[in-house]
Each structure stands twice: as structure tokens, then as C-alpha cells.
Amino acid sequence: MLAVPLFAATCLTATGLALNFFVDDYYLLMVLEGQHAPATKTELFTFGTGSAEEMVPFIAKGPHPWWTLPEFKMRFFRPLTSASLWLDQYLFGRNAAGWHIHSLLWYLLIIVAWGLLARRVLPERTAALAVLLFAVSASHWMPAVWLANVNALVATVGPLFGVWAHLKWREDHWKPGLPLSLLGYVTGLLGGEGWLGVLAYTGAYELFGRKDSFAKRTLCVAPATALAVGYVIAYKLYGYGVFGSGIYADPMSEPFEYIRMITERVLALVGGVLLSVQLDPWVLFPYTRGAIIAAGIASVFLFAWLLKKAWKGIEESERQAIRWMIPAGLLSLLPVAATVPMNRLLLATTLAGSALVAILLRHWWQTRVPGKRTAYGTACGVLAGIHLVFSPLMWPAYSTTTTILNNWMIENSLSACMNDENIEEKHVFVLSVDNPLMCMYPPLIRNAFGMERPKSWHALSTSPTDHVLTRIDDRRFVLEAVGGSLTDGEFMEIVRSGRFQFDEGQKIPLEGSTITVLNVVDGKPRKMEVTLDAAAESGAYVFLESAGGRLRLCTLPPVGESVTIPYVPTRLAEMIAPSLPDAMQEILLARRQPIPSPIPRSGG
């Protein structure tokens, strides 16, 4: 039963072995190597402490952007995950392949645990299919391959074994089941908040899957409930959670904001589980949100219709599993709905999703009439294609595209534009960044590859619009976003919610300079003045422009003059080229149009 899913999972996860480190991985690596950051080796997943006094130095030096809310907090309790990554760094150093293999082992353990649980609650063939569907789900690519997301795996393994132990205790009167289930939950809570999503299965089983008296069911679930309540209280008392972010809504400290966001987010996530809807465009392309939500609503109606058609023909054990696993899956969405919908959040929910899809597909296959087409059969056939063909194919597709993107980031970050002599003593300004990934990560990537980091790093704007730069004198220049604000976009709201508005005249001190907000529209800065501590030509500063995804050196215009910096989005050819042999690069880039450069270039 487990051999095929484990083999499939190993092959699919192996497609990501070439990825190396990626985005937040560079931050974690920097912390593990003992460099100064908001996080520590024992609390790796701290990106903001919530203390203005502690955060201001990181904003002043970068790579935290200048618009970061000083009281910004993003601090997660994940000591077991931190220990797991510390072990990776100790054993493998900067050889990311070893880290990836370790993540694969966590993923395989989850499949084993789900196999044990599925075999207990479903008929053997249905359980085998459910485990296979879970193992190849494209939603699991990021937790299984992206090292910074390994917390999702660590937080799931123990609790999933815990749910199995709880059911064995309740159904077989296995006495070790209760303490072992609690032990599993504890290991999960040490891995990350994702354990609460798995714990939902224990609660739903007692609420909807048992026929005992309410008092007995309450008593049996009380230890797990007490553990969850104690965890949530301690989590808040010890200062963990999120504050000030526009993409996270902490249910405890921002309950109304959480309630406002939860409906549309849950609908989107349901579509990701049932129909493998790609949710990641939610952040990058906000105009897709309506379609994503509509797909989620459509998936609910589709599966309700399919269940109604199949209900009389499915086995009683499958019906019983459906009665409690569907509520469990929905409850498991509540913790992850605190942030924007992403497929990587669906690890716990796809347990119920894979069981439901397996039940429907098994019924369809057993009752189909060869040569006879029905709407029910067509829908199930499409469903099989989505989950057994399309979903596995997305693993190598994700691995390939992300590796290409990562190679592009590395090549761009290590390029000659910052190979200035004594760069570690200089302040770098990126006047406008056309790709948000180049906002914070270049200095972290340089660190991971053993190169010197700038003394400070500041991207002044990542807004997808033209900018006008005006030189005031030898130490001052003004930057204005033409078609919006300097902080437009969901990516910008990671470190500052739009609810925390800027004021005209507000000053943000940085290392080697000061930013003054000159004009504000709807609470967002549209125009800023940058005052340098020394003359721009003193040699203390490096100015970069970014167009078409490329960073290159430039010089400011003469005093009294203005230039327009056109927005040139990153081109696919520019990203793919670094991953190809030289001859293929020449062919790919042969017909590219020159990138406009309104600012005088200084080489590089």
C-alpha cells in the first residue's frame, strides 16, 4: 500500500534537488551562520520582533525596506524546526542537497502516518488511492522542496501519528494510544502552528465520527483541547504571532481583520484542495482573485453534486469517514486562513481532500459502464486527470521554473554591478526595483556565496510604474512614483499594512542617509526626498538602476536636472538565459530590445 506512494513522492521531490537555497533560505542560512538579524539560532523564524528599538537598526541598514513598520512583528514558535535546520547546517554546511534530502525524509514520514490513518478509516483500496493522491499532490511541492517551508512538514508528522494513535485508543481500547497521541501533538506544536490544522481531525472525529454520549466524547477530546488552549495562550503571552503586516491577520490580536478576510480566503483554499487551483497568483496578480474565488465556489457545488450521485453506492465505512473528515478539512483551514491563500498551506487539508477524491474515483471506476458517457463519469474522469496526471506533472514544472528563477536571482545578485572595491564600506541604493524579489535578497545571496555585502542596502521603490528622479544638490535628490505610490503592491505589505499610514514630512533615518516623505496619497508615500550624509560623488555610495530584471550601475543626473526612470518589467528571456549553455543564451537573447537607460550609467 505504501510502496507506490513513497516511491512516487521520492521521485517527485527529487526534481527539486537542483534548486539550491531559495529566497528566505538565504535569511535562515545567514542566521544559522551567526550573523546579526532579528532571528536567533533557536528562533529562526523571527522576521520582526515587534520592538521598534530592536527593528530600527535592521531598517536603517537593510535589507528590511525603509517602509517597514518599526513595530512590525513576525515571530513564530518553531523550535523543533529550528533545531532541524541547525542540524542541516551543521552536517551539510552550504551544500543544499543534504538539506533537501532531510526534508524529503520528513515528507515520507507524513505519507507513512497518513497511510496508517487512511487504512484505519477507509477500505483498503480506497485508502491506497487516498495515500497516492496525497503523495503526488502539487500543493505539497513547496513544503517538500522549499527549505524555509519545512516547518509545515515538521508540524504535521507528529500530530498525524497522534490522530492515528487517538483513533486506535478509542476504537481498539489501546491504552498507549492516549499518551502517544499527546506526545505526537507536542512534537507538532514544537514544529510550528500548522499542528493545529492536523489536530482538527481529532476534534472532528469526536464531534462527528463517534456515536458515544456527548459527555464521553467531550472527556476523550479534553486532553487534546487543553493542550491546544494552553498552546494558544502561551503563544500570545510569550510574544509570538504577527503584527503590522498586510498579508497576515493574527486571529488573537486582530480578530476583526481576520474575520473580514476569512471567507474569501477559505473559498480560495477549498478550490486549491479539490481542483488543484493554482493559488499563488493571488499575491502577484491581484486581478486573478475573483477567478480563484469563483473556482473555489464551483468546486464546492461540483463535489456536493458528485457526492449526492455517489452516496448510495459508496460503502458505509466511506460514508462514516466523509461525515467527520470533511468538517476536519474545513476546520484545518482556519489557522492557515490567517494569511493570503497559497497552495503550500494545504498540507493538512489535503488529508481530507485526498480521502474524498479517492472515494469518488473508486465509486466511479467500479460503477462505470464502458462506452456509455454520462455527466457524472465525465466529471470524475476530469477529476482523475487533475489529481493523477496534472498534479504530479506540476512537481517538475515547479522545480524547473523555480530553479530558473533562483539562478536568475543568483546571477543578478552576484553580477559585476556590486563588485566595487570596498563594497562592504559603501551604501547601496536601488532607485527602483521592477521585480520585488530583488528588493531584499541580493545582499543575503551574496553572503551565501561568500561575497562581501554592502554596508547598507536600500531599495527605494518597487512600485510597477515610472518614476521621476530630480537632483536637488550634491547630497539630495527626490524620487516620485508617477502612476501610484512608492509602496504599491501586496509584496510591500508584508512588512507594513496599509492601515499604518505615512505622514507628510515623516523622516526615516537610514545608515548614511535620511528619507523624508514629501507627498502622501491615501496614506502611501508618492514622493520622497533622500538626503545623503556625504556628497553622492564622494565614493561612499553606489547607485543601481533596475530594468527588465537587471541591476546595473548608474550615476545621478546633474544638480537641478530630472530624469524619468521607465518601468520595464522583468522579461522571461532574461530569467531563463542564465540557466542555459552559452550558445543557447545567445540564441534566446539575440532579438531582445535594448533596455532604456535614462540615468547615466557608470559601467558594470
Side-chain angles (χ1 to χ4, degrees):
M1 173 181 170
L2 288 176
V4 173
L6 290 174
F7 177 75
T10 301
C11 293
L12 294 176
T13 307
T15 64
L17 286 177
L19 179 58
N20 209 318
F21 300 104
F22 181 62
V23 290
D24 289 353
D25 300 341
Y26 295 111
Y27 175 78
L28 301 178
L29 184 63
M30 179 186 73
V31 178
L32 287 167
E33 292 179 346
Q35 300 188 49
H36 192 47
T40 64
K41 291 183 179 181
T42 56
E43 288 196 354
L44 279 178
F45 294 87
T46 298
F47 303 94
T49 64
S51 166
E53 182 179 358
E54 294 176 356
M55 287 303 298
V56 163
F58 296 109
I59 299 171
K61 185 179 180 64
H64 281 68
W66 63 269
W67 58 83
T68 303
L69 184 72
E71 296 81 15
F72 167 67
K73 178 171 71 174
M74 190 176 288
R75 182 172 175 239
F76 302 116
F77 180 71
R78 301 169 180 174
L80 183 57
T81 304
S82 296
S84 175
L85 291 171
W86 175 88
L87 180 63
D88 288 337
Q89 194 271 337
Y90 178 79
L91 293 176
F92 310 117
R94 294 181 179 178
N95 181 1
W99 301 51
H100 285 296
I101 292 172
H102 188 186
S103 292
L104 167 62
L105 296 179
W106 283 109
Y107 188 48
L108 296 182
L109 279 175
I110 293 176
I111 293 171
V112 171
W114 174 224
L116 292 173
L117 180 59
R119 189 165 55 185
R120 171 163 286 275
V121 300
L122 295 170
E124 184 175 352
R125 291 184 178 180
T126 306
L129 180 57
V131 177
L132 177 61
L133 289 166
F134 180 88
V136 303
S137 172
S139 295
H140 302 165
W141 176 86
M142 192 166 281
V145 174
W146 186 29
L147 301 173
N149 200 195
V150 72
N151 60 283
L153 305 180
V154 180
T156 299
V157 171
L160 192 50
F161 278 111
V163 175
W164 169 79
H166 182 91
L167 266 64
K168 189 170 176 61
W169 167 57
R170 292 286 275 129
E171 295 173 355
D172 299 345
H173 306 290
W174 187 50
K175 291 184 179 179
L178 178 59
L180 286 177
S181 68
L182 294 176
L183 178 61
Y185 304 148
V186 169
T187 61
L189 72 84
L190 295 175
E193 13 350 276
W195 81 283
L196 291 170
V198 185
L199 187 65
Y201 285 82
T202 300
Y205 170 77
E206 292 294 347
L207 285 173
F208 305 103
R210 297 289 302 183
K211 297 181 180 179
D212 312 74
S213 67
F214 180 76
K216 184 172 183 179
R217 286 180 286 154
T218 302
L219 183 64
C220 289
V221 80
T225 303
L227 183 63
V229 172
Y231 165 80
V232 171
I233 293 173
Y235 197 86
K236 300 308 297 182
L237 288 178
Y238 284 93
Y240 294 97
V242 179
F243 176 78
S245 175
I247 67 169
Y248 287 87
D250 193 314
M252 296 293 290
S253 60
E254 301 171 294
F256 296 109
E257 186 70 9
Y258 173 74
I259 293 171
R260 182 183 69 83
M261 296 177 174
I262 192 171
T263 302
E264 62 180 20
R265 290 181 173 182
V266 166
L267 286 172
L269 291 166
V270 166
V273 173
L274 299 180
L275 294 179
S276 289
V277 175
Q278 299 306 295
L279 306 178
D280 297 341
W282 182 283
V283 173
L284 298 176
F285 310 105
Y287 57 83
T288 64
R289 292 177 185 177
I292 292 174
I293 294 171
I297 295 172
S299 70
V300 172
F301 283 102
L302 173 63
F303 273 75
W305 175 70
L306 291 174
L307 267 179
K308 182 179 179 181
K309 296 283 289 184
W311 190 255
K312 292 182 179 180
I314 62 179
E315 297 183 17
E316 178 56 32
S317 60
E318 293 174 330
R319 295 181 192 176
Q320 183 66 10
I322 287 173
R323 290 188 183 102
W324 68 270
M325 294 202 82
I326 288 181
L330 292 173
L331 288 172
S332 72
L333 291 174
L334 297 182
V336 298
T339 187
V340 294
M342 291 175 281
N343 295 89
R344 69 184 181 89
L345 304 174
L346 298 175
L347 193 61
T349 312
T350 45
L351 297 167
S354 64
L356 177 57
V357 172
I359 290 170
L360 291 172
L361 292 183
R362 185 205 62 80
H363 173 266
W364 162 63
W365 189 256
Q366 288 187 342
T367 59
R368 78 193 189 286
V369 178
K372 183 179 180 180
R373 291 187 178 182
T374 63
Y376 173 77
T378 300
C380 288
V382 171
L383 199 62
I386 289 174
H387 290 280
L388 291 172
V389 180
F390 171 77
S391 201
L393 289 175
M394 290 304 295
W395 283 73
Y398 284 150
S399 295
T400 301
T401 55
T402 308
T403 300
I404 288 173
L405 174 61
N406 194 38
N407 290 343
W408 168 81
M409 288 180 60
I410 292 171
E411 191 271 341
N412 211 358
S413 300
L414 304 184
S415 64
C417 66
M418 280 188 290
N419 290 346
D420 199 339
E421 192 173 336
N422 300 321
I423 189 67
E424 70 275 11
E425 298 298 327
K426 299 188 178 184
H427 305 285
V428 174
F429 289 94
V430 188
L431 300 176
S432 68
V433 182
D434 59 351
N435 188 310
L437 292 176
M438 300 308 294
C439 174
M440 298 175 60
Y441 296 112
L444 304 182
I445 293 173
R446 290 177 64 84
N447 172 77
F449 282 83
M451 300 180 71
E452 294 292 343
R453 294 170 54 187
K455 188 173 184 179
S456 69
W457 170 274
H458 299 290
L460 298 184
S461 174
T462 57
S463 183
T465 185
D466 292 350
H467 294 75
V468 174
L469 188 146
T470 302
R471 185 79 180 272
I472 306 300
D473 56 34
D474 64 339
R475 295 196 302 117
R476 293 184 300 153
F477 63 90
V478 171
L479 186 68
E480 179 179 3
V482 176
S485 79
L486 296 166
T487 58
D488 279 340
E490 287 282 338
F491 187 85
M492 307 308 103
E493 292 211 352
I494 292 177
V495 293
R496 188 188 192 104
S497 169
R499 295 180 291 116
F500 299 94
Q501 301 185 346
F502 284 90
D503 299 317
E504 291 186 0
Q506 183 173 343
K507 294 183 181 295
I508 299 93
L510 308 177
E511 280 199 13
S513 64
T514 301
I515 287 176
T516 304
V517 177
L518 299 180
N519 183 247
V520 174
V521 177
D522 296 329
K524 294 184 177 182
R526 188 177 66 180
K527 182 190 291 187
M528 65 158 67
E529 179 182 276
V530 179
T531 303
L532 307 176
D533 291 352
E537 292 78 11
S538 65
Y541 303 95
V542 174
F543 299 98
L544 303 178
E545 62 169 324
S546 175
R550 308 296 296 179
L551 293 173
R552 57 190 183 188
L553 290 168
C554 65
T555 58
L556 299 182
V559 173
E561 294 188 12
S562 298
V563 293
T564 298
I565 307 174
Y567 171 64
V568 182
T570 304
R571 295 175 297 198
L572 182 62
E574 293 282 348
M575 297 173 61
I576 295 176
S579 300
L580 301 176
D582 292 343
M584 296 182 68
Q585 288 188 38
E586 293 178 7
I587 295 172
L588 182 64
L589 301 177
R591 297 182 179 179
R592 64 180 179 179
Q593 297 297 315
I595 299 172
S597 179
I599 302 177
R601 296 182 62 189
S602 59

